[in-house]
Amino acid sequence: MDDAAVRFLATRDQLLRFSRDNMPMKILLHAIILLMPFISGCAGTLQEIITCDPPQAHIYWGKTKSTLEKTGHKTPYSRSVSGSNWEPWCYQAKKDGYHDSEIICREEEGYRYLDFRLVPFKTTITSEPPDAIIYWGPSEEQIRKTTYRTPRTVTVKDHPDGASWKDWYYQVKKDGFHDSEIVFVPLQAEDRKIHIELEPISRHPLHKTE
């Protein structure tokens, strides 16, 4: 690796550290990407950059879609090695509260940039009748009143505590109706829908006594 490539990589690493606190990561990464063909062509340095929205997603990779392994790296991630081309490789991003990304397989190439977009899981709570107050929690003992009423859809963006995707307990209450049973919904790899039927409280007419 020549001196120009070494200086470039050192500057790049400094900018990446600076950008985490002082400027949008995406803008800087795109700027670096524009330079990659020139750097890799003249210095034989291969650059790989993997980003994701949201960040801090776990990176999985492997030679084929069926041999992906967890790397221990999280987005945003970058690495540089000496060589002529990256070998064909497959990638995926995963994060709690989100659907797994599609698997992207790339052919041999001189520089490599992947940008994932993850879709959050949704949990939708409905009831009959509607406008019931929603209670929830990570266990039956920890169920608490929320500010939400049915129907309501929540995602990890609303509640990072796990209400939209983790093992969770739900209950709804409404004046004039019996409290619903507590419903347990397990962790799932898909969106969740919960519908609860409320039973009205019977009101017997008063009887006069002679």
Side-chain angles (χ1 to χ4, degrees):
M1 186 185 300
D2 61 22
D3 292 341
V6 171
R7 288 195 299 273
F8 168 79
L9 293 175
T11 302
R12 180 214 61 185
D13 290 338
Q14 291 174 357
L15 288 172
L16 284 172
R17 288 193 296 272
F18 175 81
S19 68
R20 292 190 181 99
D21 300 319
N22 297 275
M23 64 186 297
M25 175 69 74
K26 196 67 66 179
I27 295 174
L28 179 62
L29 290 176
H30 281 297
I32 294 174
I33 291 161
L34 292 175
L35 295 173
M36 285 304 103
F38 304 101
I39 299 300
S40 60
C42 67
T45 300
L46 301 179
Q47 180 75 14
E48 180 181 61
I49 298 174
I50 305 172
T51 62
C52 183
D53 182 16
Q56 294 301 297
H58 294 280
I59 298 170
Y60 290 70
W61 65 34
K63 289 187 175 182
T64 66
K65 290 184 176 182
S66 61
T67 59
L68 296 181
E69 295 181 351
K70 188 175 182 179
T71 64
H73 304 304
K74 291 184 178 182
T75 60
Y77 172 76
S78 68
R79 61 174 175 163
S80 302
V81 298
S82 297
S84 57
N85 280 304
W86 290 106
E87 65 178 306
W89 210 247
C90 296
Y91 302 81
Q92 187 177 34
K94 299 182 182 182
K95 184 170 183 173
D96 285 347
Y98 294 82
H99 293 278
D100 296 346
S101 76
E102 63 176 327
I103 298 175
I104 298 177
C105 293
R106 301 291 285 268
E107 297 299 323
E108 185 176 296
E109 55 192 346
Y111 67 98
R112 185 166 287 169
Y113 172 62
L114 299 101
D115 184 31
F116 292 98
R117 294 286 188 275
L118 300 184
V119 178
F121 286 120
K122 295 179 182 179
T123 292
T124 301
I125 307 107
T126 60
S127 69
E128 181 56 44
D131 201 37
I133 299 172
I134 298 171
Y135 290 69
W136 67 31
S139 69
E140 291 191 45
E141 296 74 24
Q142 294 177 286
I143 281 185
R144 63 186 184 277
K145 182 179 180 180
T146 72
T147 58
Y148 301 136
R149 292 177 179 265
T150 58
R152 178 72 190 194
T153 297
V154 294
T155 72
V156 65
K157 294 181 179 180
D158 305 309
H159 289 279
D161 58 359
S164 63
W165 85 94
K166 287 183 178 179
D167 292 349
W168 214 252
Y169 293 81
Y170 301 86
Q171 185 181 34
V172 297
K173 299 180 182 182
K174 186 178 176 70
D175 288 343
F177 294 82
H178 293 286
D179 297 346
S180 77
E181 293 184 354
I182 295 173
V183 178
F184 171 68
V185 182
L187 174 70
Q188 298 176 13
E190 57 187 17
D191 293 340
R192 308 188 294 191
K193 293 184 179 180
I194 307 157
H195 181 71
I196 300 174
E197 299 277 343
L198 292 176
E199 206 175 306
I201 297 173
S202 298
R203 288 185 169 83
H204 298 289
L206 295 175
H207 295 279
K208 292 183 178 180
T209 57
E210 298 294 336

